[in-house]
C-alpha cells in the first residue's frame, strides 16, 4: 500500500495547532496523513523524516507569526524538501506585507485568515483545490537511498554530493557504526567494497557508478530516441533555459548533463540578484523548478552523461557520449559552463573530498558544525559560501590573496561579511601546504607581504578561485579563444568573407550565438565574452532557441 500523502500544519499556539489538525483530519484523514507541529524547526524535522521515508507532502499550512522562524522562512526551507507541495500561509489578521513577501519568496498558493468558521466554507474549498492541483503535478516519490561508506572517503562524498544535487533524499551510514555494518552484512558486501548504495526497494549496489545510482532513483540516463531537433549539452541555467524554450516551442529536445542539473547555480546557497526573487532564491529551488518546467514541456533530461565529442556530418550534428553511444541532432546548444580551478600546493590533492572541497559542497555544511572553516577566494561565490557556513561553523576564515575584497566582490556581500562577527577576512594570504592522515588536519598559510608562514589546525577548506571552461573535447571542431571559451557570432575570427570563419559554408554570417559550426550555438559561461551570471545564461539559452529556428528554416 503506498503511504497516504501528508498534509502538514504548523502553528506555535498549541490550541490552534490542534484545532487546525482536527478540522483537516475530519475532512481529509481517510486519504491523507495529517501531521502537525508547533514550531518551524520541528515542522522541518518532520518534513525531513517524511522525505527520508520516501513519502509525499501534498499541502503545507504555516502560521506566519511564529517566534523562532516565521511562516515564510519555514515555507522557504520546506520548499527545498518538497518543491511541489502546495503552500498556504495562515495569519490572524490581514497581513498584506507578509502575503506579498510570501508570494515573492515562496510562490505562495494561498493566504488564509484565522479563524475560519465554518471550515466547510473557508478552509475546505481552498484545500480541495490545492489537493487537486497537487495531484496533477505531485513530487516524484523521493527514494530515500542509503549510502554506506567510510566517513572520509572521497567516493562516498562524491555519491552523497551526486544524490543531494539531484534532489534525492539519502541517508549516510558509516560502515564502522552498527547500523552501517548491519546493512553491509545484509548486502553481502565486504568493508573493502565500499561505498554501497541501498536503493528504496532494498537492492544493494556495490561500488556503483553515478549512472547506476541515479537510475535506481528513476532518473533517465539514456536517450529514448536516436534523432532530436535540439541537443542541449550542459544542465546549468543556460542549458535549462534552452531546454524550457526548446521544449515549449515544440522542438524534440534532449538535455544532457554530466552530473546534476543546476550547474554552478545549483551549488549556490542564495542567488540574490536573479529577477523576480527580491529575497533571493537558493540554487536548489531555482534548479528544481527549471528542471520541472523543462520536463513539463516535453524535454528529455539525461543525468550523469558526459558528451565527449561533437561531429558535423553533412547537416546533421552527431553527439557522442562517454560510453561511445551516439545521438544525432539537427542543432546543438553548448552550455557546458565552467568548472572550478584547482588550487595547486603540496598535500591538497590527496585531501580532495576529505576536508578539501571545490565549491560550496553543501552536503558537508552540517559536518562543519562548531568547527573552524577556511575559505579560499575573494569573489562573490566565496563570499556567499562564507555567509552560508557562518550559520554552522564556529568561525569562518576567508583567505584572500589580494589586499581587499573590494575589487572582486559585490558591495552588498562585503557589507554582510563585515557585519558578521563569525567571519574573519585575512587579506594578502595564500595556502601553501596541507597535511593530515585520513582527513585534512593542518594548513600552512603564507603572508604575501612578509613571506612569513604559519601552520594552523584546519579540518575544512573550501576553495573558490575562479573557474575555467572544460572544452578540450571541442578542440578542432569549434573555434575557441586562448582560454578555451567558445567563440560565437561577432567574436569569431573573420575568414576570407569578413565576418565568416574559415571553412564556413553558409551564404550568411554566423548568428549572434552561433559557433564556427553552423547550427551549433554556445550560451552562458562557456561562451567567450559572456557575462558570467545566471540571468544572462538563461537569457542566452532562450535566445539560442530562436536562432535554432532560423537555422532549421534555412538549412
Ligand atoms: C557558488 C556560486 C554562486 C553564484 N552566485 C551567483 C549569483 O548570485 N548571481 C548570478 O547571477 N550568478 C551567480 N553565479 C554564477 C552563475 O551560477 C553562473 O554564471 C551560471 O551558473 C552559468 O550558467 P551556465 O549554464 O552557463 O553554466 P554552469 O552553471 O557552469 O553549468 C554547466 C553544466 O554543464 C555540465 N557539463 C559540462 N561539460 C559537460 C559535458 N561535456 N557533457 C555534459 N554536461 C556537461 C556541467 O556539469 C554543468 O552542470 C554563482 C556561481 C557560483 C559557483
Amino acid at each position: 500500500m503506498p503511504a497516504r500523502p501528508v498534509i502538514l500544519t504548523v502553528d506555535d499556539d498549541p490550541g490552534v495547532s490542534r484545532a487546525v489538525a482536527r478540522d483537516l483530519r475530519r475532512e481529509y484523514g481517510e486519504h491523507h496523513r495529517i501531521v502537525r507541529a508547533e514550531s518551524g524547526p520541528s515542522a522541518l524535522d518532520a518534513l525531513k523524516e517524511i522525505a527520508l521515508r520516501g513519502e509525499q507532502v501534498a499541502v503545507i499550512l504555516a502560521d506566519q507569526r511564529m517566534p523562532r522562524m516565521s511562516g515564510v522562512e519555514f515555507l522557504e526551507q520546506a520548499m527545498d524538501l518538497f518543491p511541489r507541495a502546495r503552500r498556504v500561509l495562515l495569519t490572524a489578521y490581514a497581513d498584506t506585507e507578509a502575503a506579498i513577501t510570501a508570494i515573492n519568496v515562496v510562490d505562495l498558493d494561498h493566504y488564509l485568515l484565522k479563524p475560519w468558521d465554518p471550515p466547510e466554507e473557508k478552509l475546505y474549498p481552498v484545500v480541495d483545490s490545492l489537493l487537486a492541483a497537487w495531484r496533477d503535478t505531485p513530487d516524484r516519490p523521493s527514494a530515500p537511498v542509503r549510502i554506506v561508506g567510510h566517513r572520509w572517503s572521497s567516493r562516498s562524498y562524491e555519491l552523497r554530493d551526486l544524490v543531494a544535487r539531484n534532489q534525492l533524499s539519502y541517508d549516510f551510514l558509516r560502515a564502522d557504526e552498527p547500523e552501517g555494518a548491519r546493512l553491509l552484512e545484509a548486502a553481502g558486501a565486504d568493508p573493502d567494497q565500499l561505498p554501497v548504495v541501498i536503493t528504496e526497494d532494498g537492492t544493494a549496489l556495490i561500488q556503483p557508478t553515478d549512472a547506476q545510482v541515479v537510475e535506481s532513483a528513476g532518473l533517465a540516463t539514456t536517450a529514448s530516441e536516436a534523432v532530436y531537433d535540439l541537443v542541449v549539452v550542459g544542465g546549468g541555467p543556460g542549458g535549462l533555459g534552452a531546454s524550457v524554450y526548446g521544449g515549449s516551442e515544440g522542438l524534440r529536445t534532449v538535455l544532457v548533463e554530466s552530473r546534476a542539473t543546476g550547474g554552478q547555480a545549483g551549488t549556490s546557497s542564495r542567488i540574490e540578484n536573479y529577477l523576480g526573487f527580491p529575497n533571493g532564491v537558493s540554487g536548489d529551488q531555482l534548479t528544481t523548478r527549471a528542471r520541472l518546467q523543462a520536463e513539463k514541456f516535453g524535454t528529455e533530461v539525461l543525468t550523469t552523461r558526459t558528451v565527449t565529442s561533437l561531429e558535423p556530418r553533412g547537416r546533421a550534428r552527431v553527439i557522442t557520449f562517454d560510453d561511445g553511444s551516439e545521438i544525432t541532432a539537427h542543432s546543438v546548444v553548448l552550455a557546458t559552463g565552467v568548472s572550478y580551478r584547482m588550487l595547486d600546493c603540496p598535500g591538497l590533492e590527496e585531501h580532495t573530498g576529505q576536508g578539501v572541497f571545490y565549491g560550496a559542497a553543501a552536503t558537508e555544511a552540517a559536518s562543519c558544525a562548531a568547527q573552524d572553516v577556511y575559505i579560499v577566494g575573494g569573489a562573490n561565490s566565496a563570499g556567499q559560501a562564507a555567509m552560508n557556513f557562518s550559520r554552522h561553523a564556529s568561525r569562518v576564515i576567508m583567505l584572500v590573496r589580494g589586499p581587499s575584497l573590494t575589487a572582486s566582490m559585490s558591495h552588498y556581500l562585503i557589507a554582510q561579511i563585515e557585519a558578521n562577527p563569525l567571519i574573519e577576512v585575512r587579506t594578502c594570504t595564500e595556502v601553501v601546504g596541507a597535511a593530515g592522515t585520513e582527513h585534512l588536519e593542518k594548513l600552512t598559510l603564507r603572508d604575501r607581504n612578509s613571506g612569513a608562514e604559519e601552520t594552523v589546525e584546519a579540518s575544512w577548506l573550501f576553495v573558490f578561485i575562479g573557474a575555467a571552461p572544460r572544452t578540450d573535447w571541442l578542440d578542432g571542431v569549434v573555434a575557441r579563444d586562448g582560454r578555451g571559451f567558445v567563440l560565437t557570432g561577432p567574436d569569431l575570427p573573420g575568414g576570407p568573407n569578413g565576418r565568416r570563419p574559415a571553412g564556413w559554408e553558409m551564404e550568411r554570417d554566423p548568428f549572434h550565438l552561433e559557433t564556427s559550426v553552423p547550427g551549433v550555438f554556445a550560451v552562458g559561461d562557456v561562451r567567450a565574452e559572456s557575462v558570467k551570471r545566471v540571468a544572462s545564461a538563461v537569457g542566452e539559452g532562450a535566445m539560442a532557441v530562436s536562432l535554432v529556428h532560423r537555422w532549421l528554416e534555412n538549412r
Side-chain angles (χ1 to χ4, degrees), residues 384-535:
Q384 285 178 2
M387 289 299 297
N388 194 33
F389 280 115
S390 72
R391 292 190 199 112
H392 307 272
S394 58
R395 218 162 48 115
V396 177
I397 302 106
M398 293 188 75
L399 307 173
V400 182
R401 277 168 63 94
S404 80
L405 292 174
T406 42
S408 50
M409 196 179 286
S410 297
H411 186 260
Y412 78 92
L413 256 182
I414 297 178
Q416 287 178 8
I417 287 168
E418 281 172 355
N420 190 325
L422 296 180
I423 304 179
E424 179 191 333
V425 180
R426 293 182 60 169
T427 53
C428 301
T429 305
E430 61 190 354
V431 178
V432 290
T437 44
E438 281 195 316
H439 192 262
L440 178 70
E441 289 165 14
K442 290 183 192 330
L443 286 176
T444 306
L445 311 178
R446 179 162 57 204
D447 182 316
R448 283 165 55 84
N449 290 331
S450 65
E453 291 192 359
E454 174 195 4
T455 298
V456 294
E457 306 277 324
S459 303
W460 302 100
L461 179 75
F462 295 88
V463 183
F464 301 82
I465 51 163
R470 297 226 175 110
T471 53
D472 295 352
W473 60 279
L474 292 167
D475 193 28
V477 184
V478 299
R480 298 176 299 152
D481 72 7
R483 293 183 301 154
F485 290 96
V486 177
L487 294 161
T488 56
D491 297 320
L492 282 164
N497 306 326
R499 299 236 336 265
R500 296 177 189 174
W504 183 259
E505 290 169 357
M506 305 296 291
E507 289 299 313
R508 59 166 176 82
D509 291 345
F511 296 134
H512 195 72
L513 300 174
E514 201 167 24
T515 67
S516 56
V517 177
V520 176
F521 301 84
V523 304
D525 283 13
V526 75
R527 195 174 70 78
E529 306 303 327
S530 67
V531 180
K532 310 299 187 240
R533 289 278 183 276
V534 175

Side-chain angles (χ1 to χ4, degrees), residues 234 236-238 257-258 263-264 273 307 336-337 340 384 524-525 532-534:
E257 164 54 49
S258 61
Q264 297 167 71
N273 52 3
V307 173
T336 53
Y340 281 109
Q384 285 178 2
D525 283 13
K532 310 299 187 240
R533 289 278 183 276
V534 175

